[in-house]
Amino acid sequence: MPFRDIAEASLGPKARVYEHGWQSWSPTGAYPASATSPRPSDARVNAVHYRGRDLPGEGFQAEGLFAVDPGDGGAVRVWSAPDPTRDVPSIRACARQGTLVVSADGAVNESSYDGGLWTALATWADDFAHQVGVGPLRSQPPFWCSWYQYFTEVREEDILENLAVADSLGLDIQVLQIDDGWEAEIGDWLERSPRFPRPLAEIAKRIRATGRRAGIWTAPLLVGGRSQLAREHPDWLVRGADAGRNWDESLLALDVTHPDAADHLEHVFRTLTEWGFDFFKIDFMYSGALDGGRHNDADGIAAYRQALGIIRNAIGPNAALLGCGAPILPSVGLVDAMRVSPDTGPKYEPEAGDVAVASQRSAVLTGRARAFQQGRFWINDPDCLIVRPNVERREDWADHVERFGALRSSSDRLRDLDAWGLETTRRLLQPASIEPFDLSGLDDA
Ligand code: 9PG
């Protein structure tokens, strides 16, 4: 559907807009109404971090949720998809001579709220969570994740070393989560990298023998061009879907509406569960919601929700499901916890100034702007605490995790922590709160 004008708002000097991005890594924030929001630095970033759609040169493009705060104490106007678990229209806005013109490429409702921007969004989120029937939230345990120290080079011995050090330091690490790097190829989830010589069931057993739970990263709806799956089952891929590039390969999407692909997805998660894993970080989930040709005529969002149903069915009701790189509004009610920002990293500033890519500034910008989702949609994951000595501005990152992070995790080589890093890790590793955050002060720098 083409964009059609849906509303106008007259803008006072303090007017702000709120733009919600599509998936975990898409920039989300509040900006002066006359500004232009962050744009991807190239087409790859647009595909992997945004929604891959055309963007206007000026102004804003929100995905499914947009708001205007007049800034003079007047009501906040919110535009949103009537049911974002079915359809998420793009909503554009552009300021012209003191008036903001709002347009959308699909059906959009308008509602208005008193109490300022964050209260408005929280109230909107309460209504949406109620509409979807979000069940009672369950706290999730503090965990250790391999990514922000070892990245794709992680080895079996790194996992075992940190397991032993967690014990000797007496840290409240209840789950050891193996991140990207363990798998043979993206899409081949039952085969291991040579850096993991022992079967994963054995690693999981060793983790569990210390009284902890075992966690694992996958990107279950993503298929790498090099994978055996892509080679052997081209009919399981979404036709014409471009999930971008990473790991030096092109990225495709699994079509879970194909019954054999659905069986395969279920088999992968049943097997990981049998191996002893019960904490699942499911990443690059945007790939499952891409437009494209599928076995049946389900659209991207319907196929995506179907995939989450298959995964939950395979892992059982008590396993933890942490969404990442995931379409935000279509995931409500289907995950226990959600990454609400782009990745953090040892650097404060993002490369090329692009706030969709890994950096503390990127993670803080979007993590704060989605603080209202905590305790309403799920448990907010601010990304991992990293506090080893060479992390830039590590005190500021720890403050963000403490204030706007409900899911708590550590991702340093534990042995490398100095006294302050260790004390901070010890203090912040706590079971996740299921309560909404206090949103007052969100507008302070
Ligand atoms: C593993 C990581 C970690 C991390 C996730 C996700 O190519 N890219 O643009 C790109 C974007 C995000 C990204 C990795 C690559 O990070 O958020 O915690 O699990 O995957 O690969």
Side-chain angles (χ1 to χ4, degrees), residues 24-25 44-45 48-49 145 147-148 151-152 177 179-181 183 186 217 245-247 251 281 283-284 286 324-325 339 341-344 356-358 381 383-384:
S24 304
W25 307 326
R44 191 200 78 90
V45 172
V48 177
H49 297 256
C145 161
W147 181 250
Y148 297 91
F151 299 96
T152 50
Q177 183 246 309
D179 212 279
D180 183 11
E183 73 285 356
I186 300 299
W217 175 95
R245 276 188 81 77
N246 191 25
W247 303 279
L251 302 174
K281 176 174 172 182
D283 203 354
F284 287 78
Y286 69 89
C324 190
R339 253 291 282 295
S341 69
D343 290 13
T344 190
V357 306
D381 173 12
D383 209 356
C384 303

Side-chain angles (χ1 to χ4, degrees), residues 159-160 163 167 173-176 200-215 272-280 319:
I159 304 297
L160 297 176
L163 178 64
D167 259 343
I173 288 173
Q174 298 180 19
V175 181
L176 244 82
L200 279 203
E202 212 175 305
I203 312 288
K205 197 170 163 194
R206 288 200 184 197
I207 295 170
R208 292 160 67 93
T210 69
R212 296 186 173 80
R213 293 164 56 183
L272 293 171
T273 301
E274 274 167 28
W275 289 353
F277 295 97
D278 68 351
F279 183 105
F280 296 94

